[in-house]
C-alpha cells in the first residue's frame, strides 16, 4: 500500500512538473492551467482530477500531446 501511495505522489508531482515544462518553466501559467476546467477530461479541473494513478497518467498523456502540438 505504501508503494502505491508513493507511486501516486510521484505521478502527481510529475503532472505538476510536466505542466510547468509545457509552459516553458512558467509555474504561474501551469498553476492556472491546472486550475481551470479542461474539456479533454470532461471539463473537470486538472489539479482536482489527479485522484488516482490512472487519472494522473491520463493528464501526463494530455500534456505530452500538447507539447507535440496535438490538440486534445
Amino acid at each position: 500500500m505504501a508503494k502505491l501511495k508513493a507511486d501516486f505522489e510521484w505521478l502527481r508531482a510529475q503532472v505538476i512538473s510536466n505542466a510547468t515544462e509545457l509552459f516553458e518553466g512558467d509555474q504561474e501559467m501551469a498553476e492556472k492551467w491546472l486550475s481551470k476546467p479542461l474539456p479533454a477530461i470532461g471539463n473537470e479541473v486538472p489539479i482536482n482530477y489527479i485522484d488516482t494513478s490512472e487519472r494522473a497518467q491520463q493528464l501526463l498523456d494530455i500534456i505530452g500531446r500538447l507539447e507535440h502540438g496535438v490538440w486534445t
Side-chain angles (χ1 to χ4, degrees):
M1 186 71 154
K3 180 172 176 5
L4 288 176
K5 182 173 176 151
D7 289 347
F8 171 71
E9 290 301 321
W10 181 85
L11 278 171
R12 182 180 174 85
Q14 197 64 40
V15 167
I16 294 167
S17 174
N18 286 17
T20 302
E21 288 179 27
L22 176 66
F23 291 97
E24 299 179 354
D26 189 333
Q27 190 168 355
E28 184 177 334
M29 287 297 296
E31 289 172 2
K32 285 181 183 179
W33 184 79
L34 288 167
S35 300
K36 292 185 178 180
L38 184 64
I41 55 172
N43 287 319
E44 290 196 45
V45 176
I47 200 69
N48 297 334
Y49 189 77
I50 311 171
D51 59 1
T52 66
S53 295
E54 292 80 17
R55 287 179 158 207
Q57 187 60 56
Q58 184 180 7
L59 284 172
L60 288 171
D61 292 345
I62 290 168
I63 291 168
R65 288 194 301 266
L66 290 171
E67 287 176 330
H68 290 94
V70 179
W71 294 101
T72 56

